[in-house]
Amino acid sequence: MLQFNIRKPDEGIIPQIQEKIDNLTKPKGSLGILEELALQIGWIQQTTSPSLTKPVHIVFAADHGIAEEGVSPSPQEVTRQMVFNFLEGGAGVNFLARQHGFGLKVVDGGVNYDFDLTDDRIIHRKIRKATRSYLYQPAMLMDEFDQAIEVGAEVVQQSYDEGSNVICFGEMGITNTSSSAIWMNTFTGILLRDCVGAGSDHAGKILEHKYKVLRQATDNYQGDGTTADVMRHFGGYEMVMTVGGMLKAAELGMIILVDGFIMTSCILAAARINRDVLHYAIFGHQGDEAGHKTLLDFLKVKPILHLDLRLGEGTGALCAYPILDSAVRMINEMNSFKAIEVTKYFD
């Protein structure tokens, strides 16, 4: 597997950033989470004057063999239909990317469809037309797993080279909440039943069937239990690409804005490979998918928003971006007590 050189940011600058925040013209701590975010962003960037430049949102798309087992009410064809929706600018992720000034990259990592290879609106990196059903065998081969990690790293490197220092990820792949639930269960030890949610089945009509299939799949697993083996056995190409992208973003010192349940499962897997990736992660929201709050609590992180979202695509992360922007504007644009004649006050 591709190796990543991720380092924890130097903590030596933290007192300087905190001093600047504390001396802005406000009571100490009165801007709450904005102050926490400004401190983290400044720490990541190793500066008392952080910036957010050319934000990019990457949507990785791929299909899953487990869809054959009826664990989602949505047919597999929805994956490619939604990819076309992304390309045409009509999906939830599109209006939010436009609203918040994000560049949008859509990557075909393994959709069960032949896209026009001359269509430059999509990044063509298909590994295979869907993973295999992990009820019976590993979802992907080891070389496919390695390729997926490399693709994720490649697309992030391209974004970085284009001037981006903040990135978030979305996904499209029918049944990928199933893979996420198994990753969560395996990597945390939390009971599988507490990790499995309804996904796109808003009524939860097939929830028990989904749980039984995933329970059987985990019972059938005969791998070595390593992080990479669990990821390749139960994961989707789009999820492994995201993990590769997150690890590369941390190596490059970029801010990683994390979306909902699936993307949180991906940062969990990334942290199993290199724990220091978490220093670069900001969690955008708590989604409405069962298991997400439990997973956030396991990671001991505090999401910015809780809007009852469960769409995926990275929409929750995009909704949270203006809060990051406000945090950066706060530390850069507010006056300090030293700069103007205002007596320092307290609550």
Side-chain angles (χ1 to χ4, degrees):
M1 187 179 74
L2 188 65
Q3 299 299 305
F4 299 91
N5 181 24
I6 302 172
R7 298 180 179 178
K8 181 179 180 180
D10 186 349
E11 295 182 339
I13 198 171
I14 289 178
Q16 295 171 253
I17 304 169
Q18 190 66 61
E19 181 181 15
K20 182 176 180 180
I21 293 170
D22 289 346
N23 281 285
L24 298 175
T25 50
K26 58 173 180 57
K28 183 177 178 180
S30 62
L31 281 176
I33 290 176
L34 295 187
E35 299 188 27
E36 296 174 18
L37 290 171
L39 180 64
Q40 183 180 0
I41 295 169
W43 178 47
I44 290 170
Q45 297 182 353
Q46 293 288 289
T47 179
T48 58
S49 300
S51 64
L52 303 174
T53 59
K54 295 185 178 180
V56 171
H57 186 71
I58 302 171
V59 179
F60 293 108
D63 280 307
H64 294 241
I66 198 68
E68 302 165 2
E69 311 305 327
V71 295
S72 171
S74 300
Q76 193 176 79
E77 66 196 47
V78 171
T79 301
R80 57 99 170 165
Q81 291 169 348
M82 283 303 301
V83 169
F84 278 115
N85 198 17
F86 300 150
L87 300 181
E88 293 163 5
V93 70
N94 294 100
F95 84 80
L96 288 166
R98 288 192 295 266
Q99 179 184 0
H100 302 309
F102 272 72
L104 180 63
K105 298 178 188 292
V106 180
V107 182
D108 171 19
V111 179
N112 190 14
Y113 181 80
D114 291 315
F115 293 103
D116 181 356
L117 295 178
T118 66
D119 188 345
D120 60 6
R121 298 174 300 171
I122 189 169
I123 298 173
H124 302 277
R125 296 293 184 274
K126 191 191 304 291
I127 295 175
R128 186 178 186 269
K129 286 185 176 180
T131 55
R132 301 155 187 86
S133 174
Y134 53 72
L135 182 59
Y136 309 106
Q137 60 187 312
M140 62 191 80
L141 304 177
M142 197 66 210
D143 64 330
E144 294 172 346
F145 171 82
D146 289 340
Q147 185 180 348
I149 290 285
E150 290 168 8
V151 168
E154 170 205 340
V155 180
V156 168
Q157 181 71 61
Q158 179 188 60
S159 302
Y160 177 82
D161 292 343
E162 292 166 352
S164 176
N165 69 0
V166 56
I167 200 156
C168 58
F169 301 93
E171 41 60 43
M172 185 62 228
I174 293 301
T175 74
N176 55 16
T177 58
S178 295
S179 293
S180 299
I182 292 179
W183 281 12
M184 176 182 169
N185 161 246
T186 306
F187 295 148
T188 67
I190 295 168
L191 292 175
L192 180 62
R193 186 172 290 279
D194 294 332
C195 303
V196 177
S200 61
D201 179 19
H202 64 90
K205 294 179 181 178
I206 63 169
L207 189 57
E208 188 60 26
H209 171 70
K210 180 179 180 179
Y211 169 75
K212 288 179 179 178
V213 169
L214 300 190
R215 177 76 279 162
Q216 187 63 57
T218 56
D219 287 346
N220 291 347
Y221 173 65
Q222 295 181 348
D224 61 19
T226 61
T227 298
D229 195 65
V230 170
M231 287 174 62
R232 79 173 185 91
H233 194 102
F234 297 108
Y237 296 126
E238 83 284 17
M239 294 171 63
V240 177
M241 288 177 181
T242 297
V243 172
M246 288 173 166
L247 291 167
K248 187 64 178 180
E251 180 182 69
L252 294 169
M254 302 176 77
I255 296 158
I256 304 166
L257 186 52
V258 182
D259 189 53
F261 178 57
I262 297 162
M263 296 295 96
T264 305
S265 295
C266 288
I267 198 77
L268 170 70
R272 296 269 301 189
I273 295 170
N274 191 316
R275 184 75 183 176
D276 285 334
V277 70
L278 292 173
H279 299 305
Y280 298 87
I282 295 173
F283 292 79
H285 78 120
Q286 177 188 315
D288 205 30
E289 175 68 10
H292 192 206
K293 182 182 185 303
T294 304
L295 183 50
L296 292 168
D297 289 344
F298 175 85
L299 290 169
K300 296 181 173 61
V301 294
K302 180 167 61 175
I304 296 172
L305 303 173
H306 184 188
L307 302 177
D308 296 334
L309 303 180
R310 54 180 182 84
L311 174 60
E313 303 175 10
T315 48
L318 290 167
C319 283
Y321 179 73
I323 308 300
L324 273 67
D325 187 35
S326 294
V328 168
R329 289 178 181 274
M330 176 203 74
I331 196 171
N332 288 324
E333 298 180 19
M334 282 186 73
N335 280 326
S336 69
F337 289 110
K338 295 177 182 178
I340 61 172
E341 294 181 358
V342 173
T343 302
K344 202 166 186 178
Y345 62 100
F346 305 91
D347 281 348

